[in-house]
C-alpha cells in the first residue's frame, strides 16, 4: 500500500500537497475563529454533494419537475433528509456568508491590499443567493412558481435591458419548461462552477494577504493545521450540521402530511390564484419595502434603490480610503441591517394579523397535503402530471368553486368553503351537510326553516314551505312527528350519500315506511313529487333528492319546472347560462355530497 | 511559512486522542450528506423482480387452428418512476395453438440482444432482424449460425373461462444462456 502511495506521490506530487495543507503552520496557532472559513467551505461541500444526489432524481420540465421532486421526497429512502439538508444548509450558508461579510466590513478587512478579497467574499454571498433563488423554482410548486413569477416581473421593470433579460430568463413569454431547463442549468452548472472558482480565488487571496489583519501573536511553532485546527473546524462544522438537522426535523414534524424535510407545495398552477405567495426569508424585507412604492414608483423600490445600496456596498474599499470612510461604511452596514430587520419584522407581523393571508396559507397547505394523498393513490400520477389530480379532485376544487360562485349567497358551515367569512350577507341556505337527515330535520323545524341557514334570507321566507313548517309541523302530535321522521329518512336516502351508507342500510325498514308515508300520509307530496309524476307540483322534485344527478341538474338550472320553476329567487342557472362548465358543476355536486377519493 | 515533513507520529496519548477525534468528526461530517443520498442512489438495487402478473391478451378464436404463431401486443398499465401510464403496449408475444385448448406463448424479444423477431410463414421459422438468429416454431435455436444463446423465452399461459388467453408477461436478461427475469 505504502509503495502505491509513494509511486503516486512521486508521479503526481499529491502527497506533498496533502502534507502542505495538513501540516501548514497557522500563524498564531489554532483558533476557533479561524474555523469560520472552513465551515463555509463545508456547507458548500454539503450543497454540492446533496445537489448531485438530487440531480440523480430531478427532471426539469413543467410536467415532471414537481413529480420528480415529489418522488425524491416521498419514495426515495431518506429522500426527505436529502432535500432537507440541501434546503436548510443553503439557508445556513447564506447566514454564514452574510455574517462573514459584515465581519469583513466591521474589522476593516476590505482596506488595501485586501480590496479584491472583499469583492470576492461579497460575490460569494451574492452567488449563493442567486443559487438559492434559482433553486427555489426547481420543485415547480405553487410557492416557487409564483415567487419566481413576481421576481422576474421586477427584472422586467429594470429600465433598458430589463424586458429582454426577463424573456431570456424565462426562455419565452411566460414561465414554463424552458424556464426550468434554464434555471436548472444555471443552478447546477454555471453557479457551482463560478462558486468553485471564487472559493479558490478567495483562498489564494487570503493566503497572499494573511488570514487576519492586525495579527499580533507571533507565529507559534507546532501549531499545524492537523489535527488542532482541523478538529476545531470539524467541531464547528458539526455544530452547524446539528442545527441544520434540527431544522430539517422540525420542518418534518411541523409539515407532517405536507412536506417532511423541506416544503413542497401543490404543483404550480398558472390558472389558480395563489394568495400565499411570499419570498424566502432573506427577501422578505424587500417584499415589505416594495409596499411603500405603489404603481409606477415600483421600479424605484424593486430595482433602483436596491441597486444603489449594493453599489455603495461594492465601493466600500474606496470609501474606506477617506478619513471618515470606515465609519461611513460601518454606518451604512448598520443602516442596512436595521432596515432589513425592521422591514422583515413589520412584514411578519402584518402577515400574522392578516386573516386573508392566513386563510390562503391554510388553503395552500391543504392543497399540498391533498396532492400528496392523490399522488400516493393506486391510480398514481398520470403522464400529464400531478396538477390534473388536483384539478379533477372534488375535495380540492369544490371549496374553491363554492367560494367563487356560491358563497355570495350560500354558506358552508358559516364560511365560504375555504375558511373565509364572505363579506356579502347570507341570503341562501347553508349547504354543509345538504341532504343528510340532520340537515333536513333542521329545515323541518319552525326556527330552522325561517333562519338564514334555510329560507330566511330570500323570498321563500314567505313561501308555502315556511308557512307549512311554522303552522303544521309546529303543532304535530307525537304520531305525526314519527311519520315525519320516517319521511325525512326516506328523502335523505334518495341522496345515497357516502356518509349515510351505514345508516341507510341499517334503517332500510324505516326508509321503506317513510316512502309509504310520503306516497300517502303526509302533506309533502301536495307540492313536491316523490317517485310519481304530478304536473301540478310547485316545489322541487324529491325523487333522487340530493343525488349527484339531482344536484347537477339543480345547479345547472334551478328555474327548471322540476325545481323552483318561475318561483326561483335569484340563483343563476349555472349550466344553462354557461357560467360553469359541466365538469365544474360535477365537482361542486361531488364536493357538496362528500364524494371524493379517500385512501 | 509552509513546513513540509513526513507524517509526524503522535507525541503522546493526548495527541493521539486528538487525531482520532479529528478523524471521527471528519468522517461523521462526510457521512451526513453522503448517507442522505445513498438511499436514493442505491434504491434500484433493492427493488426485486416485480411479480409478473397475468395479462389477458386475446381469445382462443383469434388463434389459427393450424398452429401457425400469431403476434399480439401485451397491453398493461406501466409505472415509470413517478408516472403511471394508462394501459398501453408494454411488449408482444407470439401465441401458438398446440391443441384445441392449449396455447404456447413466446416473448418476441430475441434472447440475444432484445430485438423483436418476425415469424416467416414460408420457412416456418422466427427470424431476428438484428443479428440473424433463427428459431423454430417452438422457439428452439436453429443451427450454430444463430448468435442467440438460448431459445426464445416461453411464457406461462392460462386459458380462462374456456376461451380467454392470459399470459404471464415477463422480459428476461438478454445475452445469457439462462432465463433470468429483468427486475
Amino acid at each position: 500500500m505504502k509503495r502505491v502511495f509513494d509511486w503516486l506521490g512521486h508521479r503526481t506530487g499529491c502527497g506533498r500537497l496533502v502534507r502542505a495543507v495538513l501540516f501548514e503552520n497557522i500563524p498564531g496557532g489554532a483558533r476557533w475563529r479561524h474555523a469560520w472559513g472552513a465551515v463555509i467551505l463545508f456547507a458548500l461541500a454539503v450543497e454540492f454533494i446533496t445537489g448531485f444526489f438530487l440531480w440523480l432524481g430531478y427532471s426539469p420540465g413543467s410536467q415532471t419537475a414537481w413529480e420528480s421532486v415529489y418522488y425524491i421526497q416521498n419514495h426515495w429512502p431518506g429522500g426527505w433528509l436529502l432535500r432537507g439538508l440541501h434546503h436548510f444548509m443553503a439557508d445556513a450558508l447564506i447566514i454564514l456568508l452574510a455574517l462573514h461579510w459584515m465581519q469583513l466590513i466591521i474589522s476593516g478587512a476590505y482596506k488595501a491590499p485586501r480590496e479584491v478579497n472583499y469583492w470576492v467574499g461579497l460575490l460569494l454571498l451574492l452567488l449563493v443567493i442567486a443559487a438559492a433563488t434559482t433553486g427555489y423554482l426547481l420543485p415547480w410548486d405553487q410557492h416557487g412558481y409564483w415567487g419566481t413569477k413576481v421576481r422576474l416581473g421586477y427584472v422586467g421593470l429594470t429600465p433598458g435591458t430589463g424586458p429582454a433579460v426577463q424573456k431570456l430568463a424565462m426562455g419565452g413569454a411566460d414561465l414554463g419548461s424552458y424556464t426550468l431547463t434554464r434555471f436548472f442549468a444555471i443552478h447546477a452548472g454555471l453557479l457551482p462552477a463560478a462558486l468553485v472558482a471564487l472559493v479558490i480565488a478567495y483562498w489564494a487571496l487570503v493566503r497572499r494577504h494573511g488570514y487576519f489583519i492586525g495579527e499580533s501573536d507571533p507565529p507559534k511553532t507546532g501549531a499545524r493545521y492537523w489535527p488542532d485546527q482541523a478538529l476545531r473546524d470539524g467541531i464547528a462544522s458539526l455544530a452547524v450540521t446539528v442545527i441544520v438537522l434540527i431544522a430539517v426535523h422540525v420542518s418534518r414534524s411541523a409539515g407532517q402530511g405536507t412536506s417532511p424535510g423541506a416544503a413542497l407545495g401543490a404543483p404550480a398552477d398558472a390558472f389558480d390564484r395563489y394568495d400565499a405567495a411570499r419570498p424566502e426569508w432573506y427577501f422578505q424585507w424587500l417584499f415589505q419595502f416594495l409596499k411603500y412604492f405603489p404603481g409606477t414608483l415600483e421600479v424605484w423600490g424593486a430595482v433602483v434603490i436596491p441597486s444603489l445600496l449594493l453599489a455603495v456596498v461594492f465601493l466600500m474599499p474606496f470609501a474606506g480610503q477617506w478619513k471618515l470612510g470606515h465609519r461611513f461604511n460601518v454606518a451604512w452596514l448598520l443602516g442596512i441591517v436595521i432596515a432589513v430587520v425592521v422591514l422583515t419584522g413589520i412584514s411578519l407581523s402584518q402577515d400574522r394579523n392578516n386573516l386573508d393571508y392566513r386563510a390562503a396559507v391554510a388553503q395552500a397547505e391543504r392543497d399540498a397535503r391533498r396532492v400528496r394523498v392523490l399522488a400516493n393513490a393506486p391510480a398514481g400520477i398520470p403522464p400529464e402530471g400531478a396538477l390534473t389530480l388536483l384539478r379533477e379532485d372534488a375535495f380540492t376544487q369544490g371549496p374553491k368553486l363554492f367560494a367563487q360562485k356560491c358563497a355570495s349567497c350560500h354558506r358552508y358551515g358559516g364560511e365560504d368553503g375555504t375558511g373565509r367569512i364572505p363579506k356579502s350577507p347570507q341570503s341562501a341556505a347553508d349547504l354543509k351537510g345538504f341532504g343528510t337527515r340532520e340537515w333536513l330535520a333542521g329545515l323541518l323545524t319552525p326556527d330552522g326553516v325561517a333562519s338564514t341557514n334555510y329560507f330566511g334570507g330570500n323570498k321563500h321566507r314567505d313561501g308555502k314551505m315556511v308557512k307549512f313548517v311554522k303552522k303544521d309541523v309546529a303543532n304535530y302530535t307525537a304520531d305525526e312527528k314519527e311519520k315525519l321522521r320516517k319521511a325525512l329518512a326516506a328523502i335523505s336516502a334518495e341522496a345515497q350519500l357516502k356518509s349515510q351508507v351505514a345508516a341507510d342500510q341499517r334503517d332500510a325498514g324505516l326508509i321503506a315506511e317513510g316512502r309509504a308515508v310520503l306516497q300517502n300520509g303526509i302533506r309533502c307530496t301536495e307540492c313536491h313529487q316523490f317517485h310519481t309524476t304530478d304536473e301540478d307540483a310547485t316545489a322541487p322534485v324529491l325523487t333522487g333528492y340530493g343525488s349527484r344527478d339531482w344536484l347537477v341538474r339543480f345547479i345547472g338550472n334551478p328555474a327548471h319546472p322540476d325545481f323552483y320553476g318561475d318561483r326561483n329567487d335569484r340563483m343563476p342557472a349555472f349550466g344553462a347560462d354557461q357560467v360553469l362548465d359541466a365538469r365544474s358543476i360535477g365537482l361542486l355536486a361531488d364536493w357538496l355530497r362528500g364524494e371524493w377519493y379517500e385512501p | 511559512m509552509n513546513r513540509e515533513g513526513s507524517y509526524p507520529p503522535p507525541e503522546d496519548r493526548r495527541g493521539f486522542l486528538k487525531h482520532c477525534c479529528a478523524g471521527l468528526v471528519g468522517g461523521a461530517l462526510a457521512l451526513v450528506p453522503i448517507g442522505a443520498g445513498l438511499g436514493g442512489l442505491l434504491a434500484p438495487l433493492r427493488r426485486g423482480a416485480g411479480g409478473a402478473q397475468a395479462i389477458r391478451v386475446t381469445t382462443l378464436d383469434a388463434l389459427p387452428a393450424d398452429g401457425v404463431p400469431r403476434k399480439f401486443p401485451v397491453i398493461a398499465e406501466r409505472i415509470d418512476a413517478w408516472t403511471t401510464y394508462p394501459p398501453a403496449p408494454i411488449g408482444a408475444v407470439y401465441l401458438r395453438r398446440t391443441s384445441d385448448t392449449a396455447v404456447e406463448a413466446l416473448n418476441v424479444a430475441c434472447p440475444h440482444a432484445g430485438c423483436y423477431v418476425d415469424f416467416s410463414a414460408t420457412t416456418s421459422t422466427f427470424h431476428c432482424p438484428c443479428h440473424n438468429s433463427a428459431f423454430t416454431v417452438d422457439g428452439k435455436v436453429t443451427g450454430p449460425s444463430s448468435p442467440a444463446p438460448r431459445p426464445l423465452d416461453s411464457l406461462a399461459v392460462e386459458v380462462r373461462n374456456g376461451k380467454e388467453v392470459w399470459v404471464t408477461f415477463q422480459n428476461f436478461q438478454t445475452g445469457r444462456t439462462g432465463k433470468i427475469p429483468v427486475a
Side-chain angles (χ1 to χ4, degrees):
Chain A
M1 199 58 156
K2 192 174 179 300
R3 283 180 58 195
V4 175
F5 278 128
D6 285 346
W7 183 86
L8 208 62
H10 182 258
R11 299 299 194 279
T12 63
C14 61
R16 207 197 281 185
L17 187 71
V18 169
R19 276 195 293 272
V21 172
L22 282 186
F23 305 127
E24 184 188 353
N25 194 32
I26 299 186
R31 288 273 196 284
W32 280 107
R33 56 184 168 160
H34 292 190
W36 202 267
V39 175
I40 289 174
L41 213 55
F42 166 74
L44 258 177
V46 170
E47 288 304 290
F48 279 48
I49 294 168
T50 52
F52 168 75
F53 282 119
L54 287 168
W55 195 344
L56 290 177
Y58 179 69
S59 169
S62 59
Q63 284 167 344
T64 58
W66 186 92
E67 290 72 10
S68 60
V69 174
Y70 156 83
Y71 201 75
I72 291 172
Q73 173 98 357
N74 296 290
H75 293 274
W76 277 21
W80 60 271
L81 178 63
L82 184 64
R83 273 198 78 219
L85 273 176
H86 195 68
H87 178 92
F88 287 105
M89 194 57 91
D91 286 348
L93 193 52
I94 292 175
I95 295 172
L96 287 167
L97 279 167
L99 290 175
H100 181 61
W101 164 69
M102 291 180 204
Q103 210 265 339
L104 285 184
I105 295 177
I106 293 168
S107 68
Y110 54 82
K111 287 180 190 162
R114 290 188 177 81
E115 296 96 328
V116 183
N117 295 31
Y118 171 80
W119 287 325
V120 172
L122 182 57
L123 263 181
L124 269 173
L125 172 62
L126 294 178
L127 286 194
V128 164
I129 289 178
T133 309
T134 46
Y136 172 85
L137 173 74
L138 297 181
W140 200 244
D141 61 355
Q142 283 283 67
H143 209 59
Y145 177 89
W146 289 98
T148 306
K149 201 176 170 82
V150 170
R151 261 178 234 170
L152 286 177
Y154 294 138
V155 171
L157 284 180
T158 313
T161 54
V165 173
Q166 181 193 19
K167 225 171 185 177
L168 283 176
M170 290 197 293
D174 206 350
L175 268 71
S177 288
Y178 264 148
T179 324
L180 279 170
T181 52
R182 283 166 183 241
F183 272 50
F184 187 45
I186 293 168
H187 179 82
L190 186 66
L191 288 173
L195 282 168
V196 168
L198 279 182
V199 164
I200 292 173
Y202 202 52
W203 188 62
L205 285 166
V206 166
R207 283 171 64 89
R208 182 180 169 84
H209 298 301
Y211 284 90
F212 283 90
I213 48 165
E215 195 73 71
S216 54
D217 301 1
K220 277 192 280 184
T221 49
R224 290 164 161 170
Y225 181 75
W226 178 269
D228 292 82
Q229 186 60 40
L231 189 58
R232 285 177 167 81
D233 290 355
I235 290 172
S237 301
L238 206 57
V240 170
T241 306
V242 168
I243 292 169
V244 165
L245 286 175
I246 289 172
V248 175
H249 174 77
V250 169
S251 166
R252 179 175 163 76
S253 16
Q256 202 60 272
T258 50
S259 51
L264 179 64
D269 187 349
F271 303 102
D272 187 24
R273 52 184 288 183
Y274 185 68
D275 300 347
R278 286 292 181 276
E280 291 289 82
W281 57 268
Y282 43 85
F283 278 139
Q284 186 102 21
W285 65 274
L286 193 56
F287 168 78
Q288 182 66 25
F289 187 60
L290 291 179
K291 289 184 186 169
Y292 308 115
F293 295 89
T296 52
L297 291 177
E298 198 163 37
V299 64
W300 287 89
V303 183
V304 180
I305 296 177
S307 301
L308 288 175
L309 285 175
L310 199 59
V312 172
V313 166
F314 255 97
L315 295 175
M316 276 182 180
F318 299 125
Q321 290 169 354
W322 297 325
K323 206 168 134 201
L324 292 174
H326 182 61
R327 287 185 189 179
F328 168 81
N329 286 340
V330 173
W332 192 261
L333 171 68
L334 203 66
I336 290 180
V337 170
I338 290 173
V340 166
V341 169
V342 168
L343 285 169
T344 305
I346 295 174
S347 178
L348 291 177
S349 104
Q350 283 187 356
D351 279 348
R352 218 177 1 258
N353 298 318
N354 183 341
L355 291 179
D356 282 340
Y357 171 71
R358 280 165 57 184
V361 169
Q363 177 75 47
E365 281 169 4
R366 184 180 188 270
D367 287 353
R369 268 197 305 276
R370 182 62 180 169
V371 73
R372 190 158 165 251
V373 168
L374 294 173
N376 232 343
I381 301 174
E384 307 86 71
L387 183 56
T388 51
L389 295 174
L390 277 185
R391 283 193 177 153
E392 302 300 329
D393 177 41
F395 179 80
T396 304
Q397 300 306 327
K400 293 181 185 175
L401 286 164
F402 189 87
Q404 277 171 29
K405 301 291 180 189
C406 314
S408 56
C409 300
H410 287 282
R411 292 291 180 276
Y412 189 85
E415 297 168 347
D416 71 349
T418 67
R420 298 174 177 90
I421 308 290
K423 291 185 177 68
S424 53
Q426 181 179 0
S427 60
D430 190 313
L431 295 176
K432 187 170 189 180
F434 174 72
T436 61
R437 293 181 195 180
E438 295 74 30
W439 191 88
L440 287 169
L443 172 64
L444 268 296
T445 57
D447 290 337
V449 72
S451 75
T452 49
N453 282 335
Y454 292 98
F455 289 126
N458 51 55
K459 74 177 189 186
H460 295 291
R461 89 181 129 238
D462 304 317
K464 282 187 188 169
M465 185 73 192
V466 174
K467 280 181 194 145
F468 164 71
V469 174
K470 280 190 160 173
K471 286 187 183 150
D472 291 38
V473 178
N475 301 315
Y476 267 2
T477 63
D479 185 38
E480 284 171 318
K481 277 182 185 160
E482 184 58 17
K483 273 188 180 173
L484 179 66
R485 192 173 76 86
K486 289 172 183 168
L488 290 183
I491 295 170
S492 183
E494 293 288 302
Q496 296 184 310
L497 294 171
K498 210 161 141 185
S499 62
Q500 285 189 165
V501 170
D504 286 350
Q505 266 171 5
R506 189 189 62 219
D507 300 334
L510 184 87
I511 290 165
E513 284 177 52
R515 289 199 177 120
V517 168
L518 278 164
Q519 297 302 344
N520 192 1
I522 199 159
R523 292 184 57 201
C524 302
T525 39
E526 284 177 18
C527 302
H528 296 278
Q529 304 175 73
F530 186 76
H531 291 287
T532 49
T533 313
D534 177 3
E535 287 185 359
D536 299 331
T538 55
V541 62
L542 295 181
T543 314
Y545 181 83
S547 64
R548 187 177 198 274
D549 182 54
W550 189 96
L551 258 174
V552 165
R553 287 185 57 223
F554 188 98
I555 300 168
N557 184 9
H560 186 277
D562 275 352
F563 304 113
Y564 285 119
D566 48 17
R567 277 167 301 284
N568 182 39
D569 185 344
R570 72 199 83 164
M571 176 156 163
F574 287 98
D577 293 344
Q578 299 186 31
V579 181
L580 288 172
D581 57 6
R583 198 185 119 266
S584 301
I585 293 177
L587 287 169
L588 253 179
D590 284 339
W591 176 65
L592 287 173
R593 289 168 38 73
E595 289 280 350
W596 54 73
Y597 170 78
E598 266 162 313
Chain B
M1 197 153 115
N2 289 357
R3 282 188 13 158
E4 288 164 20
S6 62
Y7 189 88
E11 300 88 6
D12 50 22
R13 195 176 292 172
R14 200 163 156 264
F16 178 70
L17 211 64
K18 250 185 201 167
H19 281 273
C20 288
C21 281
L24 275 177
V25 169
L29 289 175
L31 197 68
V32 172
I34 294 173
L38 279 184
L41 175 71
L42 302 179
L45 292 180
R46 302 194 327 160
R47 227 165 279 140
Q53 55 176 41
I55 296 162
R56 184 185 177 283
V57 174
T58 181
T59 60
L60 279 179
D61 311 332
L63 298 182
D66 58 4
V68 173
R70 201 183 145 192
K71 193 161 125 180
F72 293 91
V74 176
I75 292 165
E77 195 174 74
R78 189 171 61 88
I79 296 176
D80 177 14
W82 52 84
T83 310
T84 306
Y85 288 94
I90 58 166
V93 289
Y94 270 107
L95 294 182
R96 182 172 65 97
R97 217 187 248 263
T98 52
S99 78
D100 271 359
T101 53
V103 177
E104 267 188 15
L106 295 173
N107 195 325
V108 299
C110 177
H112 173 231
C115 301
Y116 280 15
V117 297
D118 291 316
F119 182 72
S120 155
T122 51
T123 59
S124 197
T125 54
F126 293 102
H127 175 253
C128 180
C130 293
H131 306 95
N132 289 324
S133 284
F135 307 87
T136 61
V137 74
D138 57 353
K140 292 197 182 67
V141 183
T142 64
S145 61
S146 290
R150 63 167 190 265
L152 287 174
D153 297 312
S154 60
L155 299 167
V157 187
E158 199 186 333
V159 178
R160 295 187 190 171
N161 304 324
K163 59 172 194 167
E164 292 172 10
V165 181
W166 290 68
V167 175
T168 305
F169 184 78
Q170 228 175 351
N171 286 311
F172 300 89
Q173 291 184 18
T174 55
R176 295 176 179 266
T177 47
K179 274 171 76 178
I180 305 165
V182 175

